[in-house]
Amino acid sequence: MDCENVGFVDCHTHLADSMFEHDIQAVVENAKRAGVAAVLVCTVTPSDFPLVLRLCDQYPDVLVPCLGIHPVQKDSNGEQRCVSQEDLDKVLTEIEQNADRVCALGEVGLDFQPRITPESIHKDIQRNVLKTQVELANKYDLPLNVHSRSAGKPTIAALKEFGAKSVLLHAFDGRPSTAMEGVKEGYFFSIPPSIVRSDQLKLVKQLPMENIVLETDCPGLGPVKGERNEPANVQISCDYIAKVKNMTPQDVKRITTQNALKLFPKLMKILK
């Protein structure tokens, strides 16, 4: 497909988050006005599954679902905790039933922040939950939308070990040298608008353009800390990459959209 006149692809969002429940229509319309052609909407917890599927049914011309279990879940008091096997077991059937309609499995991955993984058993549980989801992705020929906070190196090592084939590492916070291990495997990396206030300039410099896509991770990772982010802000990521790579924003948009189509072939249905 010629991506010259195709819009942006926001490869990682959480539009089913409660921060969008009162004005989601305005957020989607704002994204379209900003030139966003497709938005991937990820789950985090089992309770997100019906919300994400319903939301993508409401806006099928622009929103596409990703289903998966995140390495960080919430307890009954709303406090963050490490994922358990039971969290995944709750949704395995639902993932398989929806394999034809999802764009990827996500958000999946590892999160080795000490408060989430105080003991090595927690890391083992996360790895097992990830392994099962990599196997599902391979079974249904689906890409993976991957979280790797404080776990860049172990996540790439695990994905390689488990035989992951098609991978997006979103908002990668590891070293550029670690990211290059992912590049060798053909993995893609998505850059959020928070790049304008982060210390990942070297990462953007070193990543080849053929491995870069755009994301917002909204409502988080916006250009201003603490303010709600939204898909329209992919333009900020695009402009930043263009500046660092000494390219035009138009070229960055075209290449990142081409890359998104390679990584997520089901987007063809939207980006006709």
Side-chain angles (χ1 to χ4, degrees):
M1 175 188 279
D2 176 17
C3 292
E4 196 66 53
N5 299 309
V6 178
F8 294 110
V9 177
D10 185 346
C11 292
H12 189 104
T13 75
H14 298 281
L15 283 182
D17 187 277
S18 59
M19 286 184 80
F20 294 109
E21 64 185 344
H22 299 301
D23 65 344
I24 185 63
Q25 186 172 348
V27 169
V28 171
E29 286 170 359
N30 196 30
K32 288 180 180 177
R33 275 195 303 274
V36 179
V39 178
L40 278 68
V41 186
C42 299
T43 58
V44 173
T45 67
S47 60
D48 289 339
F49 278 52
L51 302 175
V52 166
L53 291 171
R54 197 179 314 131
L55 185 62
C56 293
D57 280 342
Q58 277 180 270
Y59 302 98
D61 60 325
V62 65
L63 304 187
V64 286
C66 302
L67 299 182
I69 290 296
H70 192 284
V72 181
Q73 298 292 303
K74 285 186 177 172
D75 64 19
S76 54
N77 297 318
E79 296 296 316
Q80 289 189 324
R81 62 164 174 84
C82 184
V83 71
S84 68
Q85 186 60 46
E86 290 72 28
D87 295 316
L88 180 59
D89 291 344
K90 283 179 192 171
V91 294
L92 279 174
T93 302
E94 198 165 0
I95 291 173
E96 298 213 58
Q97 284 172 343
N98 288 283
D100 284 348
R101 66 173 294 203
V102 299
C103 197
L105 293 194
E107 179 173 356
V108 305
L110 303 177
D111 190 310
F112 287 175
Q113 295 176 82
R115 65 187 178 83
I116 302 297
T117 53
E119 296 173 34
S120 61
I121 185 72
H122 296 111
K123 294 180 179 179
D124 292 339
I125 292 166
Q126 285 192 17
R127 279 171 49 84
N128 288 334
V129 168
L130 176 59
K131 184 171 190 271
T132 302
Q133 293 184 100
V134 171
E135 288 166 354
L136 270 179
N138 288 345
K139 178 179 177 181
Y140 292 104
D141 196 22
L142 288 166
L144 292 151
N145 210 321
V146 179
H147 174 99
S148 57
R149 188 171 182 181
S150 302
K153 204 163 193 169
T155 301
I156 289 173
L159 291 167
K160 285 163 71 172
E161 180 189 334
F162 302 153
K165 291 173 183 155
S166 188
V167 171
L168 170 63
L169 285 151
H170 106 91
F172 190 75
D173 69 356
R175 294 178 178 174
S177 58
T178 304
M180 291 309 124
E181 292 300 310
V183 168
K184 281 183 202 164
E185 298 299 314
Y187 300 166
F188 291 82
F189 292 78
S190 52
I191 309 298
S194 58
I195 190 68
V196 300
R197 56 180 173 85
S198 84
D199 57 2
Q200 287 291 61
L201 167 65
K202 283 184 182 171
L203 176 69
V204 176
K205 272 187 175 173
Q206 289 189 35
L207 283 172
M209 269 313 298
E210 55 264 35
N211 295 83
I212 295 177
V213 293
L214 306 175
E215 69 155 302
T216 59
D217 194 31
C218 62
L221 299 192
V224 179
K225 193 173 174 67
E227 283 189 13
R228 187 184 75 168
N229 192 15
E230 59 180 84
N233 286 336
V234 286
Q235 179 76 59
I236 294 167
S237 299
C238 178
D239 290 346
Y240 181 91
I241 295 163
K243 191 175 175 186
V244 170
K245 297 284 194 188
N246 197 23
M247 297 169 64
T248 66
Q250 185 63 30
D251 279 343
V252 171
K253 179 171 80 166
R254 176 178 53 80
I255 293 166
T256 54
T257 296
Q258 280 173 347
N259 293 343
L261 275 165
K262 273 185 218 161
L263 177 60
F264 303 116
K266 287 187 182 176
L267 289 176
M268 279 288 188
K269 292 174 190 169
I270 287 182
L271 304 178
K272 298 185 191 97

